[in-house]
C-alpha cells in the first residue's frame, strides 16, 4: 500500500511537471496570453480585454522568453512586422515592461504628426471621421472623435484600415518633429492618440528595437468591463463583453 501510494504521488508530480513544461513551451514558441490594463489602444482594445499574442510572427529573441533572460542577442527566424500590426514589445528603457501598440513606422520610414494627422514618408494618411465615441472604463467618461484611418502598404503587408480616437488635433503629441526610424527599429503609436505614451514620447518610449518585439496580437479570448466585484457571482455574466470573445485584433 505504501509503495503504491508513493508511486501515485510520483506519477502525479510527473504529470504536473510535464504539463508545466508543455505550457512554458507553448507560451515561448506559439502563443502567450496578455491582458489590457489601460486605455491607450481604445477603441481597438478595451480595458479588461484578454488576448493571445503569436510568438512566432516576428521570430524569437530574448524578449520572447519568460523573464527575458540575457541568453543571446538578435532574433532567430526574424521578420519585420507589417505596417499596421498591433504588437506587444518590451519597453526599451527597461527591457521588462510589456507594452502593446500599433506599428506605424518601419526601418527607414519618416514619421510625423501634424494637426493630429499621421504622416508616413511625407504623405498624410487617409483619415475619415466616423462620429463621436464615448470612452468608458479608463478614467472619467468622455466623448471624443472616432476616425477610420488607413495606413499605406508595406513590403510585407497591405495597407491596414483601423479606428482611432482623437480628443482634439492640438494635443501634446498632435504636432511633432519628423522622426526617421533607424535600422532594426520600429515606430509604435496607440490608437487612442491623445491618451497614449508611445514612440512620440522620445524620453520614455522612443523607437522600439526589433529585438524587443514579443509578438503580434491575434485575437481576444475573454473580455470583461469590470463592473462586477469578484464576490458578486450573480453579476459576472453581465460584466462579460460576450461580443468581443474570439474576435480578431485588427
Amino acid at each position: 500500500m505504501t509503495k503504491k501510494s508513493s508511486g501515485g504521488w510520483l506519477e502525479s508530480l510527473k504529470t504536473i511537471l510535464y504539463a508545466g513544461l508543455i505550457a512554458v513551451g507553448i507560451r515561448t514558441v506559439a502563443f502567450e496570453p496578455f491582458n489590457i490594463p489601460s486605455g491607450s489602444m481604445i477603441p481597438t482594445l478595451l480595458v479588461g480585454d484578454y488576448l493571445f499574442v503569436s510568438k512566432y510572427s516576428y521570430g524569437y529573441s530574448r524578449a520572447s522568453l519568460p523573464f527575458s533572460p540575457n541568453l543571446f542577442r538578435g532574433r532567430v527566424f526574424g521578420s519585420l512586422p507589417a505596417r499596421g500590426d498591433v504588437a506587444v514589445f518590451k519597453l526599451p528603457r527597461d527591457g521588462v515592461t510589456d507594452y502593446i501598440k500599433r506599428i506605424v513606422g518601419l526601418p527607414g520610414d519618416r514619421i510625423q504628426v501634424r494637426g493630429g494627422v499621421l504622416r508616413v514618408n511625407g504623405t498624410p494618411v487617409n483619415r475619415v471621421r466616423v462620429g463621436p465615441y464615448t470612452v468608458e472604463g479608463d478614467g472619467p467618461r468622455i466623448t471624443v472623435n472616432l476616425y477610420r484611418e488607413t495606413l499605406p502598404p508595406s513590403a510585407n503587408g497591405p495597407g491596414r484600415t483601423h479606428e482611432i480616437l482623437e480628443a482634439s488635433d492640438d494635443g501634446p503629441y498632435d504636432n511633432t518633429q519628423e522622426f526617421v526610424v533607424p535600422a532594426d527599429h520600429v515606430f509604435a503609436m496607440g490608437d487612442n492618440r491623445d491618451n497614449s505614451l508611445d514612440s512620440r514620447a522620445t524620453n520614455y518610449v522612443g523607437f522600439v528595437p526589433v529585438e524587443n518585439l514579443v509578438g503580434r496580437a491575434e485575437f481576444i479570448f475573454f473580455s470583461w468591463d469590470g463592473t462586477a466585484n469578484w464576490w458578486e457571482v450573480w453579476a459576472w455574466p453581465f460584466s462579460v463583453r460576450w461580443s468581443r470573445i474570439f474576435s480578431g485584433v485588427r
Side-chain angles (χ1 to χ4, degrees):
M1 289 289 290
T2 303
K3 288 183 179 179
K4 191 171 182 179
S5 177
S6 298
W9 277 105
L10 184 59
E11 289 303 315
S12 298
L13 192 60
K14 285 182 180 178
T15 301
I16 294 171
L17 179 61
Y18 293 152
L21 290 173
I22 291 170
V24 170
I26 293 173
R27 180 187 173 104
T28 301
V29 304
F31 293 96
E32 183 173 354
F34 287 89
N35 74 291
I36 305 302
S38 71
S40 69
M41 282 297 292
I42 297 173
T44 304
L45 298 172
L46 306 181
V47 177
D49 281 349
Y50 289 77
L51 53 90
F52 278 119
V53 168
S54 60
K55 306 294 284 290
Y56 51 80
S57 295
Y58 309 133
Y60 304 97
S61 69
R62 59 183 181 178
S64 310
L65 304 176
F67 309 112
S68 303
N70 192 15
L71 298 179
F72 63 98
R73 298 192 64 82
R75 299 192 76 83
V76 180
F77 308 118
S79 63
L80 285 174
R83 191 182 290 115
D85 280 0
V86 176
V88 172
F89 58 88
K90 299 294 184 183
L91 185 64
R93 66 182 296 170
D94 63 18
V96 175
T97 306
D98 291 315
Y99 260 48
I100 184 166
K101 306 289 180 186
R102 190 177 297 276
I103 305 301
V104 300
L106 302 175
D109 280 348
R110 293 178 289 113
I111 303 296
Q112 187 178 25
V113 181
R114 288 173 56 182
V117 177
L118 173 64
R119 302 171 71 92
V120 179
N121 296 321
T123 303
V125 303
N126 185 34
R127 189 185 80 163
V128 178
R129 187 176 186 274
V130 178
Y133 182 97
T134 301
V135 179
E136 297 179 292
D138 186 47
R141 189 173 185 266
I142 60 171
T143 299
V144 298
N145 294 308
L146 175 68
Y147 292 93
R148 186 170 293 117
E149 180 181 81
T150 301
L151 294 171
S154 56
N156 52 352
R160 302 286 182 82
T161 298
H162 57 276
E163 294 180 334
I164 65 169
L165 300 182
E166 283 278 9
S168 76
D169 285 334
D170 195 31
Y173 295 118
D174 282 331
N175 290 281
T176 72
Q177 67 185 80
E178 185 176 74
F179 302 96
V180 180
V181 185
D184 299 320
H185 289 71
V186 293
F187 197 94
M189 290 174 60
D191 290 347
N192 191 355
R193 293 287 165 81
D194 291 328
N195 189 27
S196 174
L197 200 58
D198 49 42
S199 290
R200 294 171 293 176
T202 56
N203 60 341
Y204 192 83
V205 181
F207 301 116
V208 179
V210 172
E211 187 178 13
N212 285 41
L213 293 173
V214 175
R216 183 178 64 203
E218 299 292 348
F219 66 92
I220 297 165
F221 65 87
F222 185 71
S223 180
W224 77 297
D225 61 18
T227 56
N229 293 309
W230 66 267
W231 47 268
E232 295 176 314
V233 180
W234 62 89
W236 289 358
F238 303 102
S239 67
V240 176
R241 302 185 185 108
W242 297 101
S243 62
R244 294 184 65 78
I245 296 177
F246 299 125
S247 59
V249 178
R250 298 290 181 266

